[in-house]
Structures are given as C-alpha cells and as structure tokens.
Amino acid sequence: IMKRTLFILIAVVLLCGVAQGGVPGVRTEFGVVAGVDHPVAKFDMASSSATLKANTGFTVGVHMGLRIAGILAIQPEVLYSYNKIALNDDKRGFSTDIKCNTVQIPVLVSLRLGLVRLNIGPVFNVVDNPTYLDRNSEKVLFGPLRPTLSYAAGVSVCLLPRLLTDARVSSGFKAMENCISYDAKSEGEYIKTTMINAQLKVGVLF
C-alpha cells in the first residue's frame, strides 16, 4: 500500500513538473488541501444484532489544476482520508472501532467562473482497506467501502488569490459487501454498505 501511494505521489509531482515546464496553451496551479470528511453510511444488516455508526474524520492531499481552454480545466488530486466506524453488539458483549484509511485520486473537470469553480468527475479508490481488532486482538479486514471507481461533485470558491475553499460529495455506483467476525470461531456476518462522503476543505495554492 505504501509503495503504491508513494508511486502515485511521485507521478503527480512529475506531472506538475512537466506542466510547469511550459506546455503551450496550458496554465497550471498546484496546492495543498486539508479539511473534514463526514461519511454518511447505510448498513443493510437485517439479521445482525450489531450496530454501526460512521464518524467524522479528516482529509489531506495535493491539488493540481491544468487550465486547457478558457474556463475549462482538468483537476487531478491525491487525497488521503481517515475516519472510524463504531461497531457495537450489546447482545454479544463486543465493541470496536473499524479504522478506515483511504487514498483516492479524483480526476475532475472544473468549470471556472470567476471566483467560483464547479467540479465533477471520476474518483479512483486506490487504497480502501478498513480493519478492526476482534476479541483476540487479531486484525480483521472489514472489506472495501467503495468500488474501485466512484464519482465526486462539488463547488470551490477562491476567497483570496491563493486561498481556496472546497465542498464536495463523493459516492460509489453500488453497495459493497462487508463482513464482521468477532473471533476465529464465529461465523462471519455479511453487510451491504452504501457510503457517501461529504468533504469540506481549505487549500493554499502556489
């Protein structure tokens, strides 16, 4: 996972360098962003006694804009997000936190109208491996919360020449199948998860 993430970051930096080197007709920008990530999750688990609640986390990343024609730009990003899902089962006397580490690569089409930017496009989920500890403190894979390809849509506003605020919603095209198992002896229970993430970020442009 770390090697894949490092490769992605290097690729983005190289792309920025090529663009900054002077591609005719292309104006570029580069920046860093950070903010909150609020997951809205629906867990379909009619036969389970467990309850799950997704909690607000954070997101950080790098941002690049390639203005290719007038008000139209391509906006690739690399974002890391972290949050937790609280798992409680009073009937079985078990509770834990499912830790969610996510690396996403949005490739957005950005319509830039003065200080306002309307953004929409695909999101590639390259790292999505939520895990938790069972009764024996063994790490268990909960399963991906998003498909490999999802989408994002939102709006950004340039408050100052180099200060950007960004609000967006991202979601997958289908529900994902996850599994909870309290120890090696218990039979796993399968859950259908639909995840929508709302993010509010502030960025600095260079």
Side-chain angles (χ1 to χ4, degrees):
I1 293 173
M2 292 302 297
K3 289 182 178 179
R4 185 192 305 176
T5 304
L6 182 60
F7 174 80
I8 293 166
L9 292 175
I10 292 173
V12 170
V13 171
L14 290 176
L15 182 59
C16 290
V18 171
Q20 293 284 5
V23 179
V26 175
R27 289 193 297 167
T28 64
E29 68 181 20
F30 182 78
V32 294
V33 295
V36 295
D37 178 275
H38 179 69
V40 179
K42 177 183 177 183
F43 302 103
D44 185 1
M45 46 181 188
S47 61
S48 176
S49 58
T51 60
L52 295 104
K53 180 182 179 182
N55 297 313
T56 300
F58 68 88
T59 182
V60 295
V62 294
H63 156 106
M64 187 176 71
L66 303 172
R67 184 170 291 193
I68 55 177
I71 61 174
L72 186 65
I74 302 298
Q75 185 172 302
E77 303 171 346
V78 178
L79 300 175
Y80 168 78
S81 302
Y82 176 81
N83 50 49
K84 296 180 180 179
I85 299 174
L87 167 61
N88 292 286
D89 192 334
D90 293 334
K91 183 178 178 180
R92 300 187 183 185
F94 179 79
S95 65
T96 190
D97 285 327
I98 301 170
K99 298 180 180 181
C100 309
N101 295 279
T102 306
V103 176
Q104 298 176 305
I105 304 179
V107 182
L108 307 178
V109 176
S110 181
L111 187 63
R112 304 192 168 187
L113 307 171
L115 300 179
V116 178
R117 304 175 176 187
L118 304 178
N119 309 313
I120 189 169
V123 177
F124 300 93
N125 300 296
V126 295
V127 177
D128 184 12
N129 59 341
T131 60
Y132 63 95
L133 299 180
D134 66 8
R135 294 184 190 274
N136 301 316
S137 297
E138 295 289 336
K139 184 178 288 188
V140 181
L141 182 64
F142 182 66
L145 297 171
R146 305 164 187 83
T148 301
L149 179 65
S150 57
Y151 67 91
V155 60
S156 302
V157 179
C158 293
L159 300 178
L160 296 172
R162 297 191 179 277
L163 182 63
L164 181 75
T165 59
D166 179 87
R168 72 179 60 170
V169 173
S170 63
S171 182
F173 295 99
K174 63 179 182 178
M176 301 298 291
E177 187 174 82
N178 304 107
C179 182
I180 53 175
S181 177
Y182 300 148
D183 53 53
K185 297 179 181 179
S186 64
E187 184 177 351
E189 299 183 34
Y190 290 92
I191 302 169
K192 289 286 188 179
T193 304
T194 302
M195 180 70 73
I196 300 174
N197 289 77
Q199 295 183 343
L200 180 62
K201 301 188 292 292
V202 176
V204 178
L205 304 178
F206 304 101

